[in-house]
Amino acid sequence: MLNTDAQDRIVWRSREGTDMEYSTYVVWDDIRQVPDQVPWACIVWFPQAIPRHSFLMWLLVCKKLKTQDMMCKWRSAGNANYNLMCCSLCTSGPDSHDHLFFECEFASQIWYGVREKSGMRSIENTWEKILNHLLQHADSKQATHIIGKLVVGASAYFVWQERNNRLFSSKKRNAAQLIEVILMTVRMKLHTMKFRRTSHVNQVLLEWRLPRDLLMDQDKCG
């Protein structure tokens, strides 16, 4: 029997047979194919991440940055002489993902200048070793591991920015200046976060020169 007093509404019946209030989000989420989550997802996208750094990290992990070694494969396009390309940071040859992050002589100075602050003092300047370390702690909520992801993301972002600045403008910063910018950026981000009150976190705050009012009592941590 029809209920003439009730207002009509649109309902979406899901693949599982559940009636849900209709919306484009509900429909799309129900009909789309959902792939398995990639193991590096929590390295790129995590609550404390800096969005522009996450986007660059996503391209880096997928090896989708337009580095010179990739451009050298486009020899059929135009009359450009790709053999003349060289890394704008060290001028030792064409740049690549592995070269820029962080095997380049200039980029390696950046990595060795920030790795201790990221809790990766023993990790060498190769993307494979850095990525493997991050993957081992991808889901960790420990302050050092979150800071490690922030430092790597900031380092990659500013090395790529410096590379482009030198290619397309006369702007140039030395390694010490870039290290300072990276650490300052991460420190500013840490100022927006709250930390559990532990002896480990106390050491982190001291190392990053952060105020103790960023600490939360255990009963407020949820």
Side-chain angles (χ1 to χ4, degrees):
M1 181 177 178
L2 295 176
N3 185 352
T4 57
D5 295 327
Q7 185 176 358
D8 291 341
R9 64 190 183 95
I10 302 175
V11 175
W12 174 262
R13 179 162 292 174
S14 70
R15 286 181 289 187
E16 288 76 25
T18 304
D19 289 343
M20 309 168 69
E21 187 165 348
Y22 178 87
S23 71
T24 53
Y25 170 81
V26 166
V27 174
W28 168 244
D29 196 50
D30 191 42
I31 65 175
R32 70 189 178 99
Q33 294 295 321
V34 182
D36 295 334
Q37 180 170 299
V38 290
W40 45 261
C42 291
I43 294 173
V44 175
W45 317 109
F46 56 101
Q48 303 84 1
I50 299 172
R52 64 181 182 274
H53 296 181
S54 291
F55 182 72
L56 191 283
M57 281 287 287
W58 173 55
L59 295 174
L60 172 55
V61 171
C62 296
K63 293 191 180 293
K64 295 297 184 180
L65 291 170
K66 297 300 184 286
T67 50
Q68 292 172 353
D69 64 322
M70 294 182 63
M71 295 175 66
C72 286
K73 300 175 183 177
W74 307 344
R75 294 181 182 276
S76 59
N79 298 318
N81 186 351
Y82 294 105
N83 291 324
L84 298 179
M85 287 184 172
C86 66
C87 171
S88 62
L89 300 177
C90 69
T91 67
S92 63
D95 62 37
S96 66
H97 286 80
D98 289 336
H99 176 79
L100 289 170
F101 313 105
F102 295 90
E103 297 175 20
C104 161
E105 182 180 351
F106 180 88
S108 67
Q109 294 179 57
I110 306 301
W111 175 246
Y112 289 130
V114 303
R115 65 174 182 171
E116 186 169 352
K117 287 278 194 179
S118 66
M120 290 186 269
R121 182 182 306 173
S122 63
I123 307 300
E124 296 299 321
N125 60 317
T126 68
W127 180 242
E128 181 182 5
K129 291 179 180 178
I130 294 169
L131 181 60
N132 285 339
H133 175 85
L134 294 178
L135 287 172
Q136 290 175 22
H137 308 286
D139 298 319
S140 173
K141 301 299 188 294
Q142 188 173 321
T144 300
H145 297 146
I146 293 172
I147 291 172
K149 291 188 284 189
L150 287 170
V151 170
V152 172
S155 299
Y157 178 85
F158 285 109
V159 164
W160 181 250
Q161 183 186 74
E162 183 66 18
R163 176 259 195 194
N164 291 336
N165 284 344
R166 294 188 181 201
L167 275 177
F168 304 115
S169 74
S170 59
K171 296 179 181 179
K172 183 181 293 189
R173 292 172 290 190
N174 60 39
Q177 290 172 318
L178 221 56
I179 290 169
E180 183 179 357
V181 169
I182 291 166
L183 296 180
M184 180 182 66
T185 300
V186 174
R187 187 179 295 112
M188 289 176 63
K189 179 62 183 180
L190 295 179
H191 271 279
T192 69
M193 296 164 53
K194 290 293 185 179
F195 300 87
R196 293 177 182 270
R197 190 182 296 274
T198 67
S199 57
H200 166 71
V201 166
N202 286 335
Q203 183 60 36
V204 169
L205 296 185
L206 182 64
E207 186 173 354
W208 283 90
R209 303 196 305 276
L210 296 171
R212 293 183 62 81
D213 58 10
L214 297 180
L215 291 171
M216 294 175 61
D217 293 328
Q218 292 291 348
D219 58 349
K220 295 181 181 180
C221 293

